[in-house]
Amino acid sequence: MSTLWHGRFGEGPAAEMLAFTASLPYDIRLAYDDLDGCRAHVRGLERASILGPDDVDTVLAALGQVEEEFRSRSFDFSESDEDVHTAIERRVTELAGPAGAKLHTGRSRNDQVATALRLYVRRGLGEIAQAVIGLQEVLLKRATEAGGHYMPGYTHLQHAQPVLVAHHLMAHAWALSRDVDRLLDCRRRADVSPLGAGALAGSSLALQPDETAKDLGFSSRFENSMDAVSDRDFVAEALFAVALLGVHLSRLGEELILWSSDEFGFVRLHDAYSTGSSMLPQKKNPDIAELARGKTGRFIGNLTGLLAALKSLPLAYNRDLQEDKEPLFDSFDQVLLALPAMKGLIDTLDFDYGRMQAAADGPQAAAVDLAELMVARGIPFREAHVVVAGLVREAVQGGTDLAELVERHPALGEDGVALLQPGVAVSRHTTPGGGGPGPVAIQMRRLQARLSEDSHRVGGEVLGPPS
Ligand code: ARG
């Protein structure tokens, strides 16, 4: 069995060594990115006059054929292919002969791997951001449809103040806007070419990393070749961006689980987006929401696993860095499944506005509004708080109707009673960003504008089907 480094070795690799160290089973999905990196490197070698025009044509044609073999799934792997990069180089050499043997000039797998991985991450982050925007669009659509319907707003999972259903849904959408920001910000830092860093120190050949960076559409090249081959910050950041996005999906999922329970009964799940039970005939389960919650544990694990792998590595490349790929691919794959599933789930929810409003119309929902009415009449808030809290206590303990007590109180009276009518309290939440109809309408317009701006920023680059 012949390896890329066989010149230095008297013996071929042991089967156990290859079995433990190979990354081909998972880095195969970097094939197209590696081919792009190879083509840019070949053109760089031409610019440096290391490859003549004939060699360049031969190697580019071989790379084209390799791509075709991957696309048609006819690429023949050899036992010694320890990763996708070695497999491609081996095949190019088979196809292009002596010209193919020049492909790796001035390049190491260390800069090669980092280049392919950055191309992959850059596209993946864009695709995830697009899917997040898709989910936000559905949240905004459902918020628009919810119109003036309201529900209890909670703190400590206890009724706090009524809010529009739209306000609650958009709270999740705004959190997702920060995820889009983070994904794009991380993409900016991934958008740096490591090609030309070589094994760790650059090269004695006249390579021009600025030109290969441009060729690959990177915004810039590395500043330091040792940093270029050992930096996996962009992977860690991508994993964090997915983990926090997962936390948001998990919180949204958790609410849908609660809301679809018999006790809340705020929403009914669509048949196509829920599952039944193998034993209990009556069940309709919120499995998408539960897995959004469950998979977030994995996203967090992928992030912490990588950080632990990175934390003590000396400069520059170490094989530990190969451990960046599985968590990355896993988080990207799973979040790209979670987002459309959550989108469909929310798009098809059947809201029971009647139950939501009834829950929000409890007599105590307007307690703080009563205190604020007293404030408007010149009473300090602390005093007003004590008065209203006293009335609530009396109502709860004495079984008297709160409205009656409010009516009898000299600083409240009829105006106070009016606040207790269904839907009145929510309409009084008028401050910017607040939960009443006025500020919510403004929020909707702003979110809509933000979504168009963000889709524009994200662009159309996607990962495409895994090879
Ligand atoms: N598959 C390896 C990786 O993912 C390739 C790099 C190996 N480089 C080396 N110097 N052994 O990192």
Side-chain angles (χ1 to χ4, degrees), residues 197 205 308 404:
L205 303 167
E404 235 179 276

Side-chain angles (χ1 to χ4, degrees), residues 169-249:
L169 294 175
M170 280 195 297
H172 289 291
W174 285 112
L176 294 171
S177 285
R178 292 191 296 277
D179 292 313
V180 172
D181 268 351
R182 244 184 306 276
L183 291 161
L184 296 186
D185 205 40
C186 170
R187 186 172 70 172
R188 199 165 52 78
R189 276 183 293 279
D191 189 20
V192 176
S193 176
L195 192 58
L200 79 164
S203 172
S204 64
L205 303 167
L207 301 174
Q208 297 171 298
D210 282 303
E211 297 307 310
T212 42
K214 245 183 252 157
D215 191 340
L216 288 167
F218 281 113
S219 297
S220 60
R221 63 150 167 94
F222 61 94
E223 292 289 346
N224 178 306
S225 57
M226 293 180 83
D227 183 38
V229 292
S230 62
D231 171 26
R232 293 295 184 273
D233 291 4
F234 65 102
V235 182
E237 282 190 50
L239 289 176
F240 174 71
V242 171
L244 191 50
L245 165 58
V247 167
H248 293 149
L249 296 179

Side-chain angles (χ1 to χ4, degrees), residues 23 27 82-83 85 109-110 113 232 317 319 321-322 324-325:
S23 53
D27 66 21
E82 65 168 60
D83 58 21
H85 319 285
R109 259 187 307 157
N110 302 348
V113 171
R232 293 295 184 273
Y317 181 84
R319 192 64 180 262
L321 290 174
Q322 180 171 287
D324 56 0
K325 286 168 203 69

Side-chain angles (χ1 to χ4, degrees), residues 23 86 132 140 163 174 191 219-220 224 229 244 268 270 300 307 337 344 346 383 410 431 440 453 455:
S23 53
T86 50
V132 174
L140 180 59
V163 292
W174 285 112
D191 189 20
S219 297
S220 60
N224 178 306
V229 292
L244 191 50
R268 283 175 290 270
H270 191 278
I300 295 167
L307 289 175
L337 293 171
I346 290 163
E383 255 175 60
T431 44
V440 164
E453 200 183 295
S455 349

Side-chain angles (χ1 to χ4, degrees), residues 115-348:
T115 302
L117 196 61
R118 281 177 182 267
L119 290 171
Y120 182 89
V121 166
R122 202 174 62 170
R123 275 181 300 121
L125 291 170
E127 185 169 344
I128 297 166
Q130 274 177 23
V132 174
I133 293 171
L135 174 58
Q136 289 177 289
E137 281 166 350
V138 160
L139 284 164
L140 180 59
K141 179 180 128 203
R142 300 309 315 258
T144 309
E145 287 165 10
H149 293 296
Y150 56 93
M151 61 180 289
Y154 296 85
T155 60
H156 313 272
L157 203 57
Q158 310 275 333
H159 288 194
Q161 286 180 284
V163 292
L164 289 190
V165 175
H167 194 56
H168 194 124
L169 294 175
M170 280 195 297
H172 289 291
W174 285 112
L176 294 171
S177 285
R178 292 191 296 277
D179 292 313
V180 172
D181 268 351
R182 244 184 306 276
L183 291 161
L184 296 186
D185 205 40
C186 170
R187 186 172 70 172
R188 199 165 52 78
R189 276 183 293 279
D191 189 20
V192 176
S193 176
L195 192 58
L200 79 164
S203 172
S204 64
L205 303 167
L207 301 174
Q208 297 171 298
D210 282 303
E211 297 307 310
T212 42
K214 245 183 252 157
D215 191 340
L216 288 167
F218 281 113
S219 297
S220 60
R221 63 150 167 94
F222 61 94
E223 292 289 346
N224 178 306
S225 57
M226 293 180 83
D227 183 38
V229 292
S230 62
D231 171 26
R232 293 295 184 273
D233 291 4
F234 65 102
V235 182
E237 282 190 50
L239 289 176
F240 174 71
V242 171
L244 191 50
L245 165 58
V247 167
H248 293 149
L249 296 179
S250 175
R251 293 178 70 172
L252 174 55
E254 170 66 12
E255 289 194 335
L256 296 177
I257 292 162
L258 286 172
W259 290 4
S260 62
S261 67
D262 290 329
E263 285 70 19
F264 274 79
F266 286 1
V267 294
R268 283 175 290 270
L269 307 175
H270 191 278
D271 284 357
Y273 290 92
S274 47
T275 56
S277 155
S278 56
M279 177 172 167
L280 310 171
Q282 83 283 13
K283 291 301 289 293
K284 210 167 157 186
N285 295 327
D287 289 29
I288 293 176
E290 288 171 318
L291 278 172
R293 194 174 58 182
K295 287 196 194 269
T296 296
R298 219 161 124 178
F299 296 153
I300 295 167
N302 286 339
L303 169 64
T304 55
L306 178 71
L307 289 175
L310 294 178
K311 72 173 262 300
S312 301
L313 293 185
L315 290 175
Y317 181 84
N318 299 272
R319 192 64 180 262
D320 317 44
L321 290 174
Q322 180 171 287
E323 287 297 300
D324 56 0
K325 286 168 203 69
E326 285 169 292
L328 175 75
F329 297 152
D330 182 56
S331 284
F332 275 22
D333 288 348
Q334 294 300 323
V335 83
L336 283 169
L337 293 171
L339 287 161
M342 286 293 277
K343 175 177 157 182
L345 177 67
I346 290 163
D347 203 15
T348 54

